[in-house]
Amino acid sequence: MKTIIEPFRIKCVEPIRMTTREDRSAFLEESHFNLFNLRSDHVLIDLLTDSGTAAMSQEQWAAMMLGDESYAGGRSFYELEERVAAIFGYKHLIPTHQGRAAEHIMFSIAVEPGMLVPNNNHFDTTRANIEFQKAEALDLVIDQGKVPSLDHPFKGDMNVLKLQALIREKGREKIPLVLLTITNNAAGGQPVSMANIKAVYRVCREHGIPLFFDACRFAENAYFIKLREDGYQDKTPAEIAREMFSYADGCTMSAKKDGLVNIGGFIALDDDEWAQKARNLLIMTEGFPTYGGLAGRDLAAIARGIEEVLDEDYLRYRIASTRYLGDHLEEIGVPTVRPPGGHAIFIDARAFLDHLSPEHLPAQALMCALYEEGGIRSAEIGTVTFGRKDHVTGHEIPADMDLVRLAIPRRVYTQSHMDYVLEVIASLTGRKRDIRGLAFTYQPKSLRNFTARFKRV
Ligand code: P71
């Protein structure tokens, strides 16, 4: 087996500014141990998110020069509409500035107070937009999807029995739509199988409930189906994607992931009435329906991105490079969510730093250590993000897990960058008992991971 190489060469470079350990110790103190407060110039390898951080191709940059900036009826809109129809198969395209705007519009028209919206796992912004409508967001992922160390090919699958029971118990009228997040970000970037998509679709059809995808990472999901599900080995990712979308009534999309762009999103759907309502709301909040909060050039870049992302050489490299990081971490004894996901590797910080109790925020502590040691920025998916303070006892109520997410921007870093990340983590492994826990010195009422401050304990 030869090395799976990056299937591109680099034509435009963005320098990384080197820092010393002393520099980083000072920046860390100044940031109050919250890496959101760092300047990106002070970060060497930025694995905070895979969202909006991709490198665009020469075709995308060239397409941007051809973007049509007309207020109404722009050519770039019709080009994107055509591509979305070809790849996703839906009749209506409603562009938005990013994924959460698509969610806000979709749920404003479809969801009423007291309703229930099931998903495998809701992403933060999806949950927030459902709760904003005074409805309940339910996570129905299969049990295997909740066990970090467990290997399973489709840990993003929805528990269909739970979905059926929910519909039986609460009634069809309470459920305006069912969602499937592909891939399932909150549970580790894990894919949903075609068999599960079909099974969820059948249940939805039987009860007349629309099924929508949260489709940000649809191409990665399609490629996992090709690799892991019987009967798909000889199909192209585009054919698999097309089949996936044929089992749903529409999707919300953040193009900042598998759209390979730095900003943008959309709703795509078949229903005429919902499309009309969405467009009316779009005009009020985003813009005219043929640009929806984006410049014409952004639409042009998305149109190329959603096609390029389905290129098989790209997807082989993408999935292999994420697996490279995950498998090598396991080899050096660092516990991670298994198997490796599509867009990120999640370190189980509670297991790795077993000398720290959850109250001492092991994931936040590990993130700070990764930054100080090697200038690597990651994201916390643990007690800081999902736990909360008990206002009676003053103690922290921990989240289910304390994970550090290493999200990999698309087409940005090379294998030597990942080797460096592995070296930094390996050097920490020997001295992990020296990593000290953290405590809050400030926390806001909600979304505390973005603005909280900490001290070492
Ligand atoms: C990620 C993000 C971006 C993010 C969002 C909020 C806090 C920190 C980072 C965004 C998603 C997503 C899924 C499954 C919808 C959105 C929103 N993910 N669904 O993972 O993963 O899209 O950012 O374009 O509004 O770092 P948007």
Side-chain angles (χ1 to χ4, degrees):
M1 255 288 267
K2 296 202 178 70
T3 303
I4 296 172
I5 61 168
E6 289 85 7
F8 49 81
R9 47 188 185 168
I10 297 162
K11 169 146 40 186
C12 180
V13 296
E14 179 182 6
I16 292 174
R17 267 201 34 196
M18 297 299 168
T19 50
T20 63
R21 192 175 218 288
E22 288 65 46
D23 292 336
R24 293 193 295 268
S25 298
F27 297 143
L28 195 57
E29 294 272 351
E30 281 166 30
S31 79
H32 302 276
F33 302 93
N34 185 334
L35 306 191
F36 279 110
N37 292 332
L38 291 172
R39 286 177 183 238
S40 63
D41 274 351
H42 298 157
V43 175
L44 297 185
I45 310 282
D46 205 344
L47 307 183
L48 180 66
T49 177
D50 66 319
S51 180
T53 51
M56 292 207 297
S57 67
Q58 56 183 2
E59 281 78 13
Q60 286 177 295
W61 282 111
M64 286 188 86
M65 277 310 295
L66 301 174
D68 178 353
E69 306 303 345
S70 303
Y71 189 94
R75 184 178 58 245
S76 302
F77 172 78
Y78 293 108
E79 280 169 8
L80 178 60
E81 186 182 50
E82 213 173 279
R83 298 287 166 106
V84 169
I87 295 167
F88 292 64
Y90 302 122
K91 188 167 150 197
H92 299 288
L93 167 69
I94 294 150
T96 60
H97 80 275
Q98 63 183 83
R100 65 198 72 180
E103 292 163 2
H104 182 65
I105 288 173
M106 200 56 227
F107 303 145
S108 299
I109 63 173
V111 180
E112 284 166 29
M115 286 182 161
L116 305 161
V117 182
N119 199 335
N120 43 5
N121 280 114
H122 289 276
F123 182 68
D124 320 15
T125 57
T126 321
R127 173 177 295 282
N129 273 301
I130 288 167
E131 290 173 355
F132 187 73
Q133 302 299 331
K134 302 198 162 41
E136 202 180 334
L138 299 171
D139 291 335
L140 303 186
V141 74
I142 55 170
D143 289 343
Q144 293 95 318
K146 298 178 204 166
V147 188
S149 60
L150 189 105
D151 224 307
H152 180 287
F154 292 105
K155 278 173 108 171
D157 281 359
M158 180 180 277
N159 185 329
V160 181
L161 293 176
K162 274 195 187 162
L163 177 65
Q164 284 170 317
L166 183 80
I167 300 171
R168 218 179 307 119
E169 223 172 274
K170 306 285 180 181
R172 184 260 168 265
E173 316 70 48
K174 278 255 172 186
I175 303 168
L177 77 171
V178 172
L179 295 174
L180 273 176
T181 305
I182 53 173
T183 58
N184 191 7
N185 186 5
Q190 302 291 335
V192 180
S193 65
M194 194 73 86
N196 189 251
I197 292 172
K198 277 196 229 176
V200 171
Y201 170 71
R202 258 184 250 117
V203 172
C204 288
R205 262 295 109 90
E206 189 189 320
H207 295 91
I209 303 172
L211 172 62
F212 270 64
F213 290 131
D214 179 344
C216 314
R217 300 176 179 89
F218 75 98
E220 291 170 9
N221 202 89
Y223 195 66
F224 277 121
I225 289 176
K226 182 178 170 90
L227 290 179
R228 298 182 184 169
E229 196 162 347
D230 281 347
Y232 290 94
Q233 279 65 40
D234 297 327
K235 294 206 154 77
T236 64
E239 287 166 342
I240 297 170
R242 187 61 202 261
E243 185 183 338
M244 284 165 20
F245 288 116
S246 76
Y247 301 124
D249 301 279
C251 67
T252 55
M253 172 81 186
S254 166
K256 297 173 74 171
K257 287 81 172 174
D258 274 351
L260 296 175
V261 292
N262 306 117
I263 194 73
F266 55 82
I267 301 170
L269 78 176
D270 280 332
D271 189 88
D272 297 333
E273 207 183 307
W274 271 4
Q276 189 169 13
K277 283 189 182 161
R279 288 198 176 105
N280 288 338
L281 200 52
L282 190 80
I283 295 172
M284 195 162 76
T285 58
E286 292 280 290
F288 191 73
T290 60
Y291 71 86
L294 293 168
R297 56 179 170 271
D298 297 324
L299 300 172
I302 299 171
R304 302 302 175 287
I306 54 175
E307 197 165 271
E308 275 176 25
V309 78
L310 289 164
D311 175 74
E312 194 141 354
D313 288 334
Y314 162 76
L315 283 169
R316 185 180 305 111
Y317 137 79
R318 170 71 176 160
I319 299 304
S321 57
T322 306
R323 173 169 278 280
Y324 180 86
L325 180 61
D327 284 352
H328 282 83
L329 282 176
E330 282 288 316
E331 262 167 39
I332 59 172
V334 178
T336 59
V337 173
R338 298 297 297 174
H343 69 296
I345 295 299
F346 295 68
I347 300 176
D348 185 346
R350 198 178 287 177
F352 185 60
L353 300 182
D354 54 9
H355 61 290
L356 299 181
S357 73
E359 187 158 5
H360 291 143
L361 313 173
Q364 190 72 23
L366 180 57
M367 281 168 57
C368 291
L370 284 174
Y371 175 69
E372 196 169 28
E373 179 76 14
I376 300 161
R377 179 155 67 171
S378 50
E380 207 258 9
I381 315 274
T383 298
V384 174
T385 306
F386 293 119
R388 59 197 166 82
K389 191 189 173 98
D390 185 328
H391 286 288
V392 180
T393 65
H395 285 291
E396 280 299 318
I397 303 171
D400 292 342
M401 296 190 258
D402 279 297
L403 304 177
V404 169
R405 184 180 78 169
L406 305 170
I408 306 181
R410 292 170 182 76
R411 305 191 293 204
V412 170
Y413 294 115
T414 64
Q415 188 170 334
S416 78
H417 290 114
M418 290 304 128
D419 286 334
Y420 170 81
V421 171
L422 285 163
E423 284 163 21
V424 169
I425 298 174
S427 75
L428 275 184
T429 304
R431 292 177 284 113
K432 65 180 187 173
R433 273 175 207 282
D434 299 339
I435 297 175
R436 285 159 63 190
L438 294 168
F440 284 95
T441 57
Y442 161 75
Q443 55 172 290
K445 282 206 179 70
S446 67
L447 299 173
R448 58 187 196 164
N449 53 320
F450 294 103
T451 56
R453 295 175 172 188
F454 308 91
K455 62 172 187 218
R456 283 198 167 119
V457 293

